[in-house]
Amino acid sequence: MTSEFKATRRVEFSETDMAGIVHFSNFFRYMETVEHAFWRSVGTSVVMTQFDPPLGLPRVHAACDYKRPLRFEDTVEMHLRVIEKRARSLAFEIRFTRITPGPAEEVASGKLVVVCVQKNEDGTLQAVPLPEAIASQIEVAPDAQP
Amino acid sequence: MTSEFKATRRVEFSETDMAGIVHFSNFFRYMETVEHAFWRSVGTSVVMTQFDPPLGLPRVHAACDYKRPLRFEDTVEMHLRVIEKRARSLAFEIRFTRITPGPAEEVASGKLVVVCVQKNEDGTLQAVPLPEAIASQIEVAPDAQP
Amino acid sequence: MTSEFKATRRVEFSETDMAGIVHFSNFFRYMETVEHAFWRSVGTSVVMTQFDPPLGLPRVHAACDYKRPLRFEDTVEMHLRVIEKRARSLAFEIRFTRITPGPAEEVASGKLVVVCVQKNEDGTLQAVPLPEAIASQIEVAPDAQP
Amino acid sequence: MTSEFKATRRVEFSETDMAGIVHFSNFFRYMETVEHAFWRSVGTSVVMTQFDPPLGLPRVHAACDYKRPLRFEDTVEMHLRVIEKRARSLAFEIRFTRITPGPAEEVASGKLVVVCVQKNEDGTLQAVPLPEAIASQIEVAPDAQP
């Protein structure tokens, strides 16, 4: 059973803005980086073409609280935890910690809510339960506060 | 007194993702588009170099709820409203409506909270009141729910 | 017969980098802005779903020479000209001129080469001639130097 | 003496477009990823604040030829080689090879030309020679064709 995942990345120049810090919208891209690595850690891509019709996980909610700036070439750890698990949706918390240069400091904290959908042949999307083979590997983190 | 602003944009190809829709992170860039136009409508850039030391408006919170997809070449209206006004911070709600192709439909709804800071010579940021000349032009929208 | 198109845009905050100028990669996004507007001006989207199988115009070459920086809230004009027209491909030159704040100055000059392809049912792409109904509306600009 | 550097990255969802492939503009961001790693490999950041006045390396030319598409979760190797070295500028070639899923295939080939500039106190930029301590560590790759 998996309830969390950690990934790190180094801030790229193209992710900064004229204020000299990571543009706030890029924290949402960083959230996806660790979320998609989480899905790989339970044996699937977020793009679930192994099912027929194919399944996907569009976001229905995203949020972020910003505490400290991140700068070019900083190393940031994204710590994802499952904070809510329903038949058709999952909620994740993602904590961002600057690792280098140290000392380690929390810089931001985000949330993503994703819904499992199947893509019908006519192009419509329909919410469906997350397949049991995948859902059975995922559990809510022990101390989660949704 | 200003409490709202509307802007439109046409979805660019580079803003879509492999799901064929606008990537969720780009809604946060769209929020800035209308927010920065709002600041120009009250006579200032969001980058307030007319003050010494210069002032800025970093975001401390951002959130978005996604209801329907936006696609390439859709025209979307961003309707920003001031929903909270404090000495040092402002909260905005931004509603996204697809205008073309019609009929008009709300596709998403977002929130931004920005704090007024001055940039000291040593590089530190310090929260300060929004200058009166600017603050006096801004009021909370009549039916705002912060 | 159409051989050129002009569009303008205002530089967004999210398009700048920590050097305080538009990140060089964004000039390629700006090139697409005016190119896609050019396609609309000859009556089609760059995504040609009106044909069966659908046609597209992937880029096979892109280049840019940078002369002066572009900054936040500058207005830039993108002037696209057709500089080469072949059965299966088109080459465009795109000149970037800062319009405000003035005086107008050329800031960069780019090139895009696109190829017309059909997307077969098995997912493969195959270069095909640009449909006559579209090709007949496009001509090389008078003084073009491919 | 250093004349090349290799880095790999996994394609992110946010880097794809509605054609299901990496947007062409993102190859220029990938070029920077390996170029900035190259600078770190010779002991400096591309942002050279260790000098007074500080030095930087703005791009004056960028180009890319696209051969095959890159897709979500592909692993791509960027192989940078120094192809020209002058007192004030360097030219790099960057070859993109899809590593997974295999077999390895070249997908694109790019070029960057950067100029060493110092940032004067009045904000102007001035081309200057690359400092000897850095330049002395860099040489043109054996079989380079500028």
Side-chain angles (χ1 to χ4, degrees):
Chain A
M1 298 287 276
T2 301
S3 64
E4 61 177 350
F5 198 82
K6 288 183 181 179
T8 60
R9 56 187 294 165
R10 189 194 305 260
V11 172
E12 308 263 351
F13 194 90
S14 65
E15 295 163 350
T16 63
D17 61 31
M18 65 183 285
I21 62 177
V22 172
H23 190 259
F24 83 106
S25 67
N26 287 325
F27 284 80
F28 294 95
R29 300 188 173 192
Y30 292 0
M31 289 186 208
E32 272 205 340
T33 299
V34 65
E35 182 216 346
H36 292 176
F38 166 82
W39 288 111
R40 288 191 293 269
S41 80
V42 296
T44 182
S45 171
V46 71
V47 181
M48 299 181 177
T49 50
Q50 70 269 40
F51 299 104
D52 182 20
L55 304 181
L57 290 158
R59 289 78 258 274
V60 294
H61 178 72
C64 194
D65 290 294
Y66 303 92
K67 291 160 194 170
R68 292 182 182 82
L70 266 183
R71 297 179 196 279
F72 177 50
E73 294 186 337
D74 285 358
T75 306
V76 59
E77 178 189 85
M78 293 89 72
H79 182 187
L80 173 145
R81 294 190 315 140
V82 179
I83 57 171
E84 197 170 35
K85 183 188 174 188
R86 298 189 177 188
R88 292 172 165 75
S89 71
L90 284 173
F92 302 108
E93 176 203 76
I94 300 99
R95 293 207 182 161
F96 297 85
T97 304
R98 187 194 305 105
I99 300 299
T100 62
E105 277 192 316
E106 185 169 329
V107 292
S109 178
K111 187 179 176 183
L112 283 182
V113 182
V114 302
V115 171
C116 186
V117 299
Q118 72 176 30
K119 190 168 184 179
N120 297 319
E121 282 206 16
D122 63 0
T124 57
L125 299 178
Q126 182 184 342
V128 295
L130 196 63
E132 184 56 23
I134 295 170
S136 64
Q137 295 182 64
I138 298 171
E139 66 182 350
V140 171
D143 54 345
Q145 292 165 357
Chain B
M1 297 287 277
T2 300
S3 64
E4 60 177 350
F5 198 83
K6 288 183 181 178
T8 60
R9 56 188 292 166
R10 191 195 302 263
V11 172
E12 308 262 352
F13 194 89
S14 64
E15 295 164 349
T16 63
D17 62 30
M18 65 184 286
I21 62 178
V22 172
H23 190 258
F24 82 107
S25 66
N26 288 324
F27 284 79
F28 294 96
R29 301 188 172 192
Y30 292 0
M31 288 186 210
E32 272 206 340
T33 298
V34 66
E35 182 215 348
H36 293 176
F38 165 81
W39 290 110
R40 288 190 294 270
S41 79
V42 297
T44 183
S45 170
V46 70
V47 180
M48 299 180 178
T49 50
Q50 70 269 41
F51 299 104
D52 181 20
L55 305 181
L57 290 157
R59 291 75 260 275
V60 294
H61 178 72
C64 194
D65 290 293
Y66 303 93
K67 291 160 193 169
R68 291 182 182 83
L70 266 183
R71 297 180 195 279
F72 177 51
E73 293 185 337
D74 285 358
T75 307
V76 60
E77 179 189 84
M78 292 89 74
H79 182 186
L80 171 145
R81 295 189 314 140
V82 178
I83 56 171
E84 197 169 34
K85 182 188 175 187
R86 299 188 177 188
R88 291 171 165 77
S89 71
L90 284 173
F92 302 107
E93 176 203 76
I94 299 100
R95 293 208 183 160
F96 297 86
T97 305
R98 186 194 304 109
I99 301 298
T100 63
E105 278 191 316
E106 185 169 330
V107 293
S109 179
K111 187 178 177 184
L112 283 182
V113 182
V114 302
V115 172
C116 186
V117 300
Q118 71 176 32
K119 190 168 184 180
N120 297 318
E121 282 206 17
D122 62 0
T124 58
L125 300 178
Q126 181 183 344
V128 295
L130 196 63
E132 183 56 21
I134 295 170
S136 64
Q137 297 181 62
I138 298 172
E139 66 181 350
V140 171
D143 53 344
Q145 292 165 357
Chain C
M1 297 288 275
T2 301
S3 64
E4 61 177 348
F5 198 83
K6 289 183 182 180
T8 60
R9 54 188 294 165
R10 190 194 303 262
V11 172
E12 309 262 350
F13 194 89
S14 64
E15 295 163 351
T16 63
D17 62 30
M18 65 182 287
I21 63 178
V22 171
H23 190 259
F24 82 107
S25 67
N26 288 324
F27 284 81
F28 294 95
R29 300 188 174 193
Y30 292 180
M31 289 186 210
E32 272 205 340
T33 299
V34 67
E35 181 214 347
H36 293 176
F38 165 81
W39 290 110
R40 289 190 294 270
S41 79
V42 296
T44 182
S45 172
V46 71
V47 181
M48 299 180 178
T49 50
Q50 71 268 40
F51 300 104
D52 182 19
L55 304 181
L57 291 157
R59 288 79 259 276
V60 293
H61 178 73
C64 195
D65 290 293
Y66 304 91
K67 292 160 194 170
R68 291 182 181 82
L70 266 183
R71 298 179 194 280
F72 177 50
E73 293 184 339
D74 285 358
T75 307
V76 58
E77 178 189 85
M78 292 88 74
H79 181 187
L80 172 145
R81 294 190 314 140
V82 179
I83 56 170
E84 197 169 35
K85 183 188 174 187
R86 299 190 177 187
R88 291 170 165 77
S89 71
L90 284 174
F92 302 108
E93 176 203 74
I94 298 100
R95 294 208 183 160
F96 297 85
T97 305
R98 187 195 302 107
I99 300 298
T100 62
E105 278 192 315
E106 185 169 331
V107 293
S109 179
K111 187 179 178 184
L112 282 182
V113 182
V114 303
V115 171
C116 186
V117 299
Q118 72 176 31
K119 191 168 183 180
N120 298 319
E121 282 206 15
D122 62 0
T124 57
L125 299 178
Q126 181 183 343
V128 295
L130 196 63
E132 183 56 22
I134 295 170
S136 63
Q137 296 182 63
I138 298 171
E139 64 181 351
V140 172
D143 54 344
Q145 294 165 356
Chain D
M1 297 287 277
T2 301
S3 64
E4 61 176 349
F5 198 82
K6 288 182 181 181
T8 60
R9 55 187 296 166
R10 190 193 304 262
V11 172
E12 308 263 350
F13 194 89
S14 64
E15 294 163 350
T16 63
D17 62 30
M18 65 183 285
I21 63 178
V22 172
H23 190 259
F24 83 107
S25 67
N26 288 324
F27 284 81
F28 294 95
R29 301 188 173 193
Y30 293 180
M31 288 185 209
E32 272 206 339
T33 299
V34 66
E35 181 215 347
H36 293 176
F38 165 82
W39 289 111
R40 288 190 294 270
S41 80
V42 295
T44 182
S45 171
V46 71
V47 181
M48 299 180 177
T49 51
Q50 71 268 40
F51 299 103
D52 181 18
L55 305 181
L57 291 157
R59 288 79 258 275
V60 293
H61 178 72
C64 194
D65 290 293
Y66 304 92
K67 292 160 193 170
R68 291 182 181 82
L70 267 183
R71 296 178 196 281
F72 177 50
E73 294 185 337
D74 285 358
T75 307
V76 59
E77 178 189 84
M78 292 88 74
H79 181 186
L80 172 145
R81 295 190 315 140
V82 178
I83 56 171
E84 197 170 34
K85 183 187 175 188
R86 299 188 177 188
R88 291 169 165 77
S89 71
L90 283 173
F92 302 108
E93 176 204 75
I94 299 100
R95 293 207 182 160
F96 297 86
T97 304
R98 186 195 304 107
I99 301 298
T100 63
E105 276 191 317
E106 185 168 330
V107 292
S109 179
K111 187 179 177 184
L112 283 182
V113 182
V114 302
V115 171
C116 186
V117 299
Q118 72 177 32
K119 191 169 184 180
N120 298 319
E121 282 205 17
D122 62 1
T124 57
L125 299 179
Q126 182 183 343
V128 295
L130 197 63
E132 183 55 23
I134 295 171
S136 64
Q137 296 181 64
I138 299 173
E139 65 181 350
V140 172
D143 54 344
Q145 293 164 356

